[in-house]
Amino acid sequence: MTELQQVTDKLLTEGNITREEAIVLLNNRNKDTQALLASKASETAKSIYGNRIFIRGLVEFTSFCRNDCYYCGIRHSNKNASRYRLTKNEILACASHGYMSGFRTIVLQGGEDAFFTDELITDIVSSIKSEHPDLAVTLSIGEKSRKSYQAFFDAGCDRYLLRHETADSEHYAKLHPSTLSADNRKRCLFDLKDIGFQTGAGFMVGSPYQTIENIADDLMFLKALRPEMVGIGPFIPHKDTCFAGHPHGDLDLTLYLLSVIRLMLPSVLLPATTALGTIDPHGRELGILAGANVVMPNLSPEDVRAKYNLYDNKACSGAEAAEYLNSLKEEMRSIGYEIVTDRGDNAEFILNR
Ligand code: SAM
C-alpha cells in the first residue's frame, strides 16, 4: 500500500489525520484519490443531511471597512471601491423578502464599519428575530471583543462566520497589515464557540504565498476548533489590490479540500461558495458533489450587489440572486439534490445542545 493509500484509508475510517498525513494527502493528490474522496464525502453528507441543500440569504450590508487586508477589494485603502451601507429598514426588508422566498437563514455580512455600533447591530438582530422568530440570523462582521459577541448572542444572533484566513502567523502577516494578527482572529473564533454561536471558520485556497504546509496547518486548526461551518473558496485577485495579476486558486484543489474537510468534520455545514461559482460555471454543483451542502444566494438589493466587489468578476447575478432561486433549484435537482426551506442547523450542534 502506498503512503497516500494508507492516509486515505485512515481519513475514511477514522476521519482523523495528523499534519504530516495531511501533507502526504496534499502532495500526492491524483484524480483517483480525488474521485474516491469526493464520493465518500458526498455519501457522508447524505448520511447526515440526506440530499437536502440548505440555502442562506446573503445580505452584504456595508462595503465600508476600516481594515486593509491586502487581498480584498473593499480594503480601506482602495480609493476606487464604491462604498455603500444599507439602512436598518433596508436590511429588515431584505430579511422579510428572504423569508417570503423560503429562506430560513439570513447572513448579514459587511466590512468592519464603525457606523454599525454594537447597539445598532443588536437592534437590527433583535428586530429581525421579533419579526421572524424562526429565521436563523448569522453575522459576519469581523473581529470584535468578546463583550460585543456576547451582546450579539444575547440579542438572538444564532451563528457567526469569521474565516481564520490562514492559521500560520507568518503567512497571515503576508496577507494583512501589522494591525491584524492570526492570534486575535483565532481568539475571536474560540470566544464565539465558547459563547454558544454556531461558528464558521475557513480560508482561501491559493492565497498568495500559501504553501501545502499552510493548508495542512489550516486543516489542523479546523480539527482543533471543530467549527459548525467551514467556508473555503478559491482566492481570486482584485485589480485594485496588492495581488492584482496573481493567479486564482485551483478548482480541483478547492474541491479536494471540501471533501477532506467533510470527512474530517462529518456534520459540518459546508458551502459551495460564490468564489467557486465565479471561477467555474459549474463550480457550485461540483462543490456539492465533492461534499458541500450549503449555497448562499445573494439577497442584497440589486443596485448595491456590484459594489460589494471583493474580487474581480464576482458572480452577483444569474443564479446568485434570490430572484433566481428557481434556476438554482433546477441546477441542484439536475445533480440529485433538493433545495429546502429549513434553518439548516449543524446536526451535531443540535444533538449536543
Ligand atoms: N469583514 C468580515 C470579515 O473579516 O470576516 C466579512 C467580510 S470579508 C470581505 C469576507 C471574506 O471574503 C473574507 O473572510 C475573505 O476570505 C473573503 N475574500 C476577501 N477577498 C477575497 C478574494 N480576493 N478572493 C476570495 N475571497 C476573498
Side-chain angles (χ1 to χ4, degrees):
M1 216 193 254
T2 66
E3 211 182 1
L4 176 64
Q5 282 165 335
Q6 280 172 20
V7 175
T8 307
D9 269 9
K10 186 170 173 208
L11 178 64
L12 295 178
T13 51
E14 297 173 26
N16 188 12
I17 48 169
T18 64
R19 179 178 190 271
E20 287 62 39
E21 289 165 340
I23 292 172
V24 170
L25 210 56
L26 291 162
N27 271 334
N28 298 283
R29 185 163 58 94
N30 63 42
K31 280 209 171 330
D32 288 345
T33 311
Q34 173 129 16
L36 174 68
L37 294 190
S39 102
K40 296 290 183 191
S42 57
E43 254 175 47
T44 301
K46 276 190 176 164
S47 72
I48 299 169
Y49 295 106
N51 69 340
R52 300 172 343 131
I53 299 297
F54 301 126
I55 44 170
R56 319 297 194 202
L58 186 59
V59 180
E60 297 161 333
F61 68 95
T62 175
S63 67
F64 286 90
C65 192
R66 66 176 177 161
N67 289 336
D68 215 17
C69 309
Y70 301 153
Y71 47 83
C72 184
I74 61 166
R75 63 194 295 243
H76 180 75
S77 65
N78 180 7
K79 300 288 173 262
N80 293 331
S82 308
R83 306 292 173 177
Y84 72 91
R85 53 173 73 96
L86 303 184
T87 63
K88 174 185 167 187
N89 282 343
E90 285 170 327
I91 297 170
L92 297 189
C94 291
S96 295
H97 171 62
Y99 192 86
M100 307 279 278
S101 315
F103 288 86
R104 291 296 176 268
T105 298
I106 185 171
V107 180
L108 305 181
Q109 189 182 88
E112 293 197 16
D113 179 359
F115 177 87
F116 287 94
T117 58
D118 289 358
E119 290 68 34
L120 182 50
I121 293 289
T122 52
D123 178 33
I124 292 168
V125 170
S126 55
S127 303
I128 295 175
K129 293 299 279 193
S130 64
E131 276 182 36
H132 309 289
D134 57 334
L135 181 67
V137 176
T138 306
L139 284 173
S140 177
I141 53 174
E143 297 176 29
K144 305 276 175 188
S145 66
R146 182 176 176 124
K147 193 163 159 254
S148 303
Y149 289 145
Q150 186 69 56
F152 304 155
F153 188 75
D154 294 343
C157 182
D158 303 272
R159 306 181 190 143
Y160 203 101
L161 299 179
L162 184 81
R163 289 182 172 184
H164 64 281
E165 310 298 1
T166 171
D168 179 273
S169 296
E170 281 174 28
H171 184 216
Y172 198 94
K174 292 180 180 164
L175 301 177
H176 302 92
S178 58
T179 44
L180 298 170
S181 72
D183 281 351
N184 194 51
R185 200 90 182 160
K186 290 179 193 170
R187 188 273 305 161
C188 291
L189 284 161
F190 283 106
D191 278 350
L192 289 162
K193 278 273 296 186
D194 199 43
I195 289 169
F197 285 100
Q198 291 182 58
T199 304
F203 57 95
M204 293 176 288
V205 179
S207 62
Y209 309 108
Q210 185 183 60
T211 62
I212 289 292
E213 288 72 18
N214 292 148
I215 301 178
D217 286 335
D218 289 326
L219 295 176
M220 294 306 106
F221 177 69
L222 295 177
K223 187 166 100 170
L225 179 70
R226 298 199 66 80
E228 283 74 26
M229 291 97 67
V230 172
I232 65 158
F235 158 79
I236 304 177
H238 184 290
K239 61 178 174 36
D240 297 319
T241 64
C242 317
F243 301 129
H246 191 283
H248 67 65
D250 183 68
L251 173 69
D252 282 334
L253 178 58
T254 309
L255 297 172
Y256 192 63
L257 285 167
L258 284 172
S259 303
V260 172
I261 292 167
R262 166 66 63 205
L263 293 164
M264 286 177 66
L265 301 170
S267 58
V268 77
L269 296 162
L270 199 55
T273 56
T274 305
L276 195 57
T278 299
I279 62 161
D280 188 289
H282 297 294
R284 224 180 350 238
E285 296 102 296
L286 293 170
I288 301 294
L289 294 171
N293 66 335
V294 171
V295 284
M296 299 174 71
N298 198 321
L299 267 186
S300 311
E302 295 257 12
D303 58 322
V304 300
R305 277 184 204 162
K307 297 182 186 165
Y308 197 79
N309 192 11
L310 306 183
Y311 44 79
D312 294 336
N313 306 316
K314 178 168 167 271
C316 64
S317 58
E320 272 312 308
E323 295 79 359
Y324 293 91
L325 203 53
N326 281 339
S327 66
L328 192 58
K329 283 181 181 164
E330 260 325 296
E331 195 176 291
M332 291 298 130
R333 228 170 257 151
S334 74
I335 53 165
Y337 288 83
E338 281 300 322
I339 297 255
V340 291
T341 294
D342 192 294
R343 277 171 52 106
D345 288 296
N346 179 295
E348 194 182 327
F349 181 89
I350 295 297
L351 211 63
N352 295 332
R353 213 168 28 169

